[in-house]
Structure formats: structure tokens, C-alpha cells
């Protein structure tokens, strides 16, 4: 109860609707399928999210949904492009037009996901059809369309919506949709996918730890891709939101973008799958210790691909660090040419990830535990092995990481 009261207090200056008090966790379709989606695929994805697999960490079977990945986000690709008024995908009264061949009944699709124990999220602000400029040429029609977009979310039972930025240059689409959502009695999760463009209202990045934040999560940079160095670069955009008094907080999470875990070339001819596993694990650990929304983006219908990264995704201790809140979302504490250290406060301790930035050379480095705010009496648990961590000299206030392979990481929870 005490933790929840702290979360509610911290969220009070965001949307203050009780949602996203911890970083949202789930799945989005874009990284795996782009716009090639339909009803059958979404149902197969839902089945995959609730499929039980043996856990390498416990004597039980668990599903991705059991581990918290229970949001299923349908991304771009549902629209009937060019079939509406003035070649848009909105009717003259503003109703968004769905590709009925791909998605014959959205309400039934959402019900299928709900029956499996999932919540289903939607997508607005289309980038494939790009009808935003057509809408904006007629302000009254645009306002009707934005209102009907929100009707679509509620009428079909979606629990959240990702609002993209394609063509919404004046922010009217984002603002009008959000205001329509705020006027409803039931809130839905709002993702501002503005890709880090601009600061402050009406749809830019929040700037005040106690001020405006009309979204539960907000993109702080451009689109991510299946490239390890690119993923690390995206995370650096989170740094300005993690100062001593952080802007990224419950109900208002800075977001480097969807996860690429499982997408670093697994199964491709000539690929080093061992290195791909290492990169996926480091990527996941960084997103956990930086309190990033954990939105999976691999093809979860591909059992071989899921199995390849199952020891990462099924590591409940890593997810628990992501979901913990002790007053700060986590921060970059060391930014050296060959490595970085990220750390996050926990109750009675800290979690920390050190990772090797080098593409070729192994790393040996010593981290000053004082920089993590740790005292001389502590225990250290390796999250990747579920065993006591090596290299910790509490008396000397040092943590030495030895012979760390390129792009590999150590993920440790320190307790006083």
C-alpha cells in the first residue's frame, strides 16, 4: 500500500488517471510485421503471448503474459487508405475507415485478446496513408475526424492508443484526440509517438518534473532498428529526463522506443547467434534499469526466435527492476569511451548495468560503488545468473568487471 501511495503522489502532476504508475509492459506489432497485419495475425500473436513455456529460472511454465507482457498493441496498417472523402481514410462525417478485408470486426478481435487475458491497444496518426495533411485543410472535418478516431478506440474496447506524428505538424490531431480522451469517464493509455520533436505543450517533450505531461509515455527520439549501436544511441536520448529531480516518472515515462530483443539477426545466414543473444540481453537490461516501457517487437509467432531469447524475456528479476519505483527512474552514471554504467535506485539498494561499448575488444573496468550511492555493507546478486555477483569488494567500495566480451553486460542488484 505504501508503494502505491508514493506512485499516486508522483503521478499527480501528469494525467492523474491512475494509469502507467510503472512503465507499461507489452508488445507492439510494428518491429516484426510493419504494416503487414490482419485479424488472423493479431489472434496468432495473442495466442503466442499467452503460450506457456518452461522457465529456465523456476520449476514451472510461464507465458509472456504471465511475465507482464500482457498489452497487445496493434500498430499501423489497419486503414482503408484512399477509400474515404477526398481520398483520405476518413468518411465525410470523420469516421475512420478500416480495411474490412484485413480487419472484419475490431470489437470481436479485442474481445478475443481480452478473453486470453490481454488488453489490446490501438494506433492513430497514420504514417502509411498519410491523410493528416488532407484533414488539416478542412478544420471542421479534421476536428470531427479526430473525435471519431477516439470513438473508435472506445467503441471497440481498446485499452490504449499510440498517437503517431505523421503530418500532424500543428499538433491539432494530438491535442484534439487527447482532449477527447480526457473528457471520457474511463482513461486509456496514451503514447505520444512524436519522436522527440519539440519541447513542451501542445505535443512536445515535457520539461518540468512537476508540470505538464499529457501522455503516459513519450518517444524521445527517432525510430529504433535492429542494430545494437543504434539501440544504445536511442537510450542516450533519455538522459535529459533523468536528472536529480526526474521528468520521467510514474504516469509520464520517457521512452527510447520499442525493444529489438530477438531481432539482431537470429537465424540469418552467417549471423553470430551467440553475439546476437549477448546484444539482446544487454539491450533488455539497459531498458530495465532505465525504467523504459518494455514493448517487445520480435515475431512472437516464431517459436525458434522466442526460444533463442527466452532466458532473457523470462528473467522476472530483470522485469522487477524495471517495475520498481523508489523515487527515480534510473540514470547514466558513467559514460566512458569503452563502457557505460546505468544505475537505478531500489528500496534498500541499487540496480546497475555495466556494458562494453566496444565492437571488438574485451573490457575490464572498476566501478566506484560510491557513485551508485552504496555503503560498505552490501550483497550483490547477478541478475543474469541468479547467483552472487563476482568482483564486488565492498570494503574497498569497488566493483570490478573483468574480461567482458564486446557488447556484453553485467546486471547486478546491490542491497545494503
Amino acid at each position: 500500500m505504501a508503494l502505491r501511495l508514493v506512485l499516486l503522489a508522483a503521478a499527480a502532476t501528469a494525467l492523474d488517471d491512475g494509469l502507467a504508475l510503472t512503465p507499461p509492459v507489452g508488445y507492439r506489432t510494428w518491429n516484426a510485421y510493419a504494416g503487414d497485419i490482419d485479424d488472423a495475425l493479431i489472434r496468432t500473436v495473442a495466442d503466442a503471448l499467452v503460450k506457456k513455456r518452461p522457465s529456465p529460472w523456476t520449476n514451472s511454465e510461464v507465458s509472456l503474459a504471465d511475465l507482464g507482457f500482457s498489452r497487445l498493441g496493434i500498430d499501423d496498417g489497419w486503414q482503408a487508405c484512399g477509400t474515404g472523402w477526398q481520398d483520405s481514410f476518413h468518411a465525410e462525417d470523420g469516421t475512420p475507415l478500416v480495411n474490412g478485408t484485413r480487419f472484419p470486426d475490431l470489437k470481436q478481435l479485442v474481445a478475443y485478446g481480452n478473453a486470453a487475458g490481454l488488453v489490446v491497444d490501438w494506433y492513430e496518426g497514420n504514417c502509411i496513408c498519410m491523410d493528416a495533411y488532407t484533414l488539416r485543410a478542412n478544420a471542421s472535418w479534421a476536428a470531427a475526424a479526430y473525435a471519431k478516431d477516439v470513438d473508435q478506440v472506445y467503441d471497440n474496447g481498446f485499452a490504449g492508443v499510440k498517437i503517431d506524428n505523421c503530418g500532424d505538424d500543428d499538433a491539432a490531431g494530438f491535442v484534439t484526440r487527447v482532449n477527447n480522451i480526457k473528457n471520457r469517464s474511463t482513461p486509456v493509455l496514451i503514447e505520444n509517438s512524436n519522436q522527440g520533436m519539440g519541447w513542451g505543450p501542445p505535443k512536445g517533450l515535457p520539461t518540468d518534473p512537476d508540470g505538464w505531461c499529457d501522455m503516459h509515455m513519450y518517444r524521445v527520439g527517432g525510430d529504433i532498428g535492429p542494430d545494437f549501436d543504434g539501440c544504445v544511441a536511442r537510450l542516450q536520448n533519455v538522459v535529459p529526463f533523468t536528472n536529480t529531480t526526474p521528468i520521467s516518472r510514474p504516469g509520464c515515462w520517457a521512452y527510447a522506443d520499442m525493444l529489438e530483443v530477438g531481432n539482431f539477426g537470429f537465424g540469418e545466414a552467417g549471423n553470430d547467434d551467440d553475439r546476437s543473444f549477448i546484444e539482446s540481453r544487454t539491450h533488455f537490461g539497459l531498458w530495465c534499469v532505465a525504467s523504459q516501457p518494455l514493448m517487445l517487437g520480435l515475431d512472437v509467432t516464431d517459436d525458434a526466435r522466442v526460444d533463442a531469447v527466452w532466458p532473457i524475456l523470462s528473467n522476472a528479476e530483470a522485469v522487477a527492476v524495471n517495475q520498481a519505483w523508489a523515487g527515480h527512474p534510473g540514470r547514466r552514471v558513467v559514460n566512458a569511451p569503452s563502457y557505460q554504467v546505468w544505475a537505478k535506485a531500489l528500496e534498500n539498494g541499487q540496480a546497475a548495468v555495466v556494458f562494453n561499448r566496444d565492437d571488438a575488444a574485451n573490457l575490464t573496468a572498476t566501478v566506484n560503488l560510491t557513485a551508485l550511492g552504496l555503503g560498505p555493507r552490501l550483497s550483490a546478486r547477478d541478475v543474469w545468473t541468479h547467483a552472487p555477483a563476482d568482483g564486488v569488494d565492498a570494503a574497498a567500495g569497488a566493483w570490478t568487471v573483468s574480461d567482458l566480451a564486446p557488447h556484453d553486460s553485467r546486471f547486478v542488484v546491490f542491497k545494503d
Side-chain angles (χ1 to χ4, degrees):
M1 176 62 73
L3 176 61
R4 178 165 176 79
L5 290 175
V6 169
L7 292 174
L8 287 172
T13 53
L15 283 172
D16 194 20
D17 56 15
L19 298 184
L21 299 182
T22 58
V25 180
Y27 181 86
R28 269 218 168 260
T29 56
W30 182 259
N31 284 359
Y33 315 112
D36 189 16
I37 57 174
D38 59 20
D39 181 283
L41 174 65
I42 301 304
R43 290 172 187 258
T44 305
V45 169
D47 295 342
L49 291 175
V50 299
K51 178 180 178 178
K52 303 280 188 179
R53 290 178 166 85
S55 168
W57 307 109
T58 65
N59 294 320
S60 62
E61 291 192 339
V62 294
S63 68
L64 285 165
D66 293 333
L67 293 159
F69 298 96
S70 57
R71 305 195 75 94
L72 197 177
I74 300 170
D75 214 283
D76 207 350
W78 56 263
Q79 306 85 347
C81 295
T83 64
W85 197 44
Q86 298 186 4
D87 296 321
S88 72
F89 68 91
H90 287 84
E92 190 170 357
D93 69 351
T95 300
L97 303 178
V98 179
N99 184 327
T101 302
R102 289 188 172 194
F103 292 97
D105 193 321
L106 289 177
K107 186 175 290 187
Q108 285 191 10
L109 179 58
V110 173
Y112 184 88
N114 293 164
L118 307 171
V119 296
V120 185
D121 294 339
W122 196 230
Y123 171 93
E124 298 287 1
N126 172 268
C127 292
I128 292 178
C129 302
M130 277 292 287
D131 78 345
Y133 292 114
T134 304
L135 291 175
R136 289 173 56 205
N138 184 324
S140 60
W141 179 40
Y146 301 144
K148 292 286 188 178
D149 287 345
V150 173
D151 287 345
Q152 182 187 53
V153 172
Y154 281 89
D155 291 347
N156 291 292
F158 291 107
V161 60
K162 172 182 174 180
I163 303 176
D164 219 331
N165 71 330
C166 293
D168 189 26
D169 299 344
D170 62 359
F174 179 81
V175 171
T176 307
R177 291 184 182 101
V178 169
N179 285 339
N180 273 278
I181 291 170
K182 289 164 70 174
N183 287 331
R184 302 288 183 128
S185 59
T186 303
V188 295
L189 187 79
I190 300 171
E191 175 189 341
N192 180 3
S193 187
N194 193 33
Q195 302 187 44
M197 296 183 183
W199 294 88
K203 71 165 184 175
L205 296 167
T207 60
D208 184 350
D210 299 311
W212 173 86
C213 187
D214 256 5
M215 67 289 283
H216 300 99
M217 50 194 285
Y218 46 94
R219 284 273 302 280
V220 295
D223 290 344
I224 204 166
D227 167 72
F228 178 79
D229 290 333
C231 291
V232 171
R234 292 286 176 270
L235 187 62
Q236 310 313 304
N237 295 325
V238 171
V239 171
F241 303 89
T242 60
N243 293 323
T244 302
T245 304
I247 296 168
S248 183
R249 62 197 190 271
C252 180
W253 300 105
Y255 179 38
D257 206 353
M258 298 167 281
L259 287 159
E260 292 285 6
V261 172
N263 290 343
F264 296 127
F266 279 103
E268 296 176 6
N271 185 67
D272 183 347
D273 284 355
D274 290 339
R275 178 150 174 163
S276 293
F277 178 86
I278 285 171
E279 292 178 340
S280 285
R281 186 172 65 179
T282 296
H283 173 29
F284 191 71
L286 287 168
W287 260 236
C288 285
V289 81
S291 295
Q292 293 297 285
L294 298 179
M295 294 296 164
L296 299 177
L298 74 164
D299 182 358
V300 290
T301 71
D302 181 343
D303 284 337
R305 187 175 293 263
V306 175
D307 289 345
V309 292
W310 186 236
I312 302 170
L313 301 180
S314 63
N315 194 330
E317 292 188 16
V319 177
V321 169
N322 174 266
Q323 294 291 287
W325 179 258
H328 200 281
R331 68 209 188 283
R332 190 183 67 195
V333 295
V334 177
N335 185 27
S338 58
Y339 71 99
Q340 286 187 346
V341 181
W342 289 71
K344 178 181 179 178
L346 304 174
E347 290 187 15
N348 303 316
Q350 293 267 2
V353 172
V354 56
F355 80 96
N356 184 356
R357 302 175 75 169
D358 201 284
D359 291 332
N362 285 11
L363 170 75
T364 295
T366 298
V367 178
N368 183 345
L369 295 177
T370 303
L372 305 184
L374 295 167
R377 297 182 300 277
L378 52 86
S379 64
R381 180 172 172 84
D382 190 322
V383 174
W384 293 149
T385 64
H386 290 195
D390 295 331
V392 178
D393 186 341
W399 172 31
T400 298
V401 175
S402 300
D403 205 30
L404 189 63
H407 294 175
D408 204 354
S409 59
R410 296 288 184 270
F411 189 174
V412 173
V413 170
F414 298 93
K415 290 291 183 72
D416 294 334

